[in-house]
Amino acid sequence: MATEIAANLDRIHRQIEQACQRCGRSPDSVSLIAVSKKKSSALIQEAADAGQQAFGESYVQEFVDKQAHILRPLDWHFIGALQSNKVKYLRGKTALIHSVDRLSLAEEISHQWQKIQQQARILVQVNVGGEDSKAGSAPEQAVELVRQIARLPHVRIEGLMTLPPYADDPEQVRPWFRQLAQLARNIETVGIAGVSMSTLSMGMSHDFEVAIEEGATLVRVGTAIFGARE
Ligand SMILES: *Cc1c(COP(=O)(O)O)cnc(C)c1O
């Protein structure tokens, strides 16, 4: 019998396909990240059993504990606010860090990944709505930040991420998604050595379909898969 999580994943995959059809994109161009913060390892296993490969966590300690607990190889994305002094705990363990929003943090990531002679794959987080409560580079400063981070030897920028202002109606969020996609195109046009803008991480449970229509390649969905968090 299919579990509730498996059924939710099925439904979301269908929604992703339909959103792709509406805007003429290939469904292969969008990946689903299951945001498992505050959810147990057992629930992660259940999602993995249903075929889910990529998981997103927001808290360093929780990330490390769960990853140590779950032995099968999964892609672990770090999507939360990150303090420089905790980067060492993530070293070598992330598929992608979505939340790099300042040079000092990128420098510490590069420093840590240098120890394992690898490049950390990262996204630059942009605070499109300019909200005080949210992390992210100001949009006007993003190009310069990307330029500075691009000089670091052990990080590789693969695109941008945003957490836009909340609105019940996803249509009201659309302009923010559009702005992030435009910013990525601008950076691509400028052309910064070693920088790719192939990844756009945007869209959550209630607005991922609109985000896909605006170009999201990674959608970060928690509640719609695992149910409400505490
Ligand atoms: C919690 C979280 C999500 C998932 O939010 P849902 O509304 O539960 O889908 C996505 N992105 C980030 C950065 C988050 O912190």
Side-chain angles (χ1 to χ4, degrees):
M1 195 186 86
T3 66
E4 195 177 336
I5 286 177
N8 290 343
L9 285 167
D10 262 0
R11 188 188 64 248
I12 292 162
H13 281 296
R14 276 200 304 277
Q15 289 173 293
I16 290 173
E17 275 171 35
Q18 286 162 3
C20 284
Q21 267 168 16
R22 282 197 295 279
C23 58
R25 294 181 58 188
S26 159
D28 298 341
S29 66
V30 180
S31 294
L32 173 63
I33 297 179
V35 176
S36 46
K37 64 183 179 202
K38 298 189 177 170
K39 297 294 175 181
S40 68
S41 299
L43 293 177
I44 295 175
Q45 301 267 17
E46 200 177 313
D49 287 341
Q52 180 62 31
Q53 179 64 25
F55 292 84
E57 290 283 339
S58 294
Y59 309 102
V60 172
Q61 187 65 50
E62 196 183 326
F63 177 104
V64 171
D65 289 348
K66 285 177 180 168
Q67 202 183 38
H69 209 84
I70 298 174
L71 296 175
R72 75 169 84 185
L74 298 172
D75 302 332
W76 294 89
H77 292 244
F78 192 83
I79 64 173
L82 185 52
Q83 292 170 274
S84 293
N85 63 359
K86 295 199 173 157
V87 169
K88 56 179 178 286
Y89 303 116
L90 297 180
R91 183 175 59 224
K93 296 180 171 175
T94 51
L96 185 65
I97 302 175
H98 294 227
S99 45
V100 179
D101 62 353
R102 58 198 188 278
L103 181 60
S104 58
L105 175 59
E107 284 171 337
E108 176 60 13
I109 293 171
S110 186
H111 173 67
Q112 291 298 335
W113 261 251
Q114 191 234 325
K115 297 181 182 186
I116 50 172
Q117 285 302 306
Q118 289 177 23
Q119 275 194 317
R121 299 168 56 213
I122 67 162
L123 304 177
V124 169
Q125 182 173 353
V126 181
N127 187 0
V128 285
E131 296 170 285
D132 289 339
S133 62
K134 293 211 173 115
S137 161
E140 319 69 75
Q141 282 152 21
V143 179
E144 188 50 31
L145 180 61
V146 167
R147 214 191 283 282
Q148 291 171 339
I149 294 175
R151 298 193 190 108
L152 300 171
H154 291 280
V155 297
R156 188 167 78 237
I157 299 176
E158 302 203 338
L160 304 179
M161 178 271 220
T162 196
L163 198 58
Y166 181 85
D168 280 333
D169 176 5
E171 284 304 326
Q172 292 188 357
V173 189
R174 186 186 294 277
W176 301 118
F177 293 144
R178 191 166 289 179
Q179 189 185 326
L180 193 76
Q182 184 59 52
L183 185 55
R185 279 193 295 274
N186 293 350
I187 292 171
E188 231 156 30
T189 306
V190 169
I192 302 172
V195 170
S196 153
M197 283 288 131
S198 56
T199 300
L200 281 182
S201 170
M202 57 189 196
M204 316 197 333
S205 288
H206 77 293
D207 57 14
F208 69 89
E209 292 163 284
V210 168
I212 289 169
E213 290 169 8
E214 296 301 329
T217 66
L218 297 181
V219 290
R220 310 178 309 263
V221 178
T223 310
I225 297 171
F226 295 110
R229 287 177 293 273
E230 291 286 293

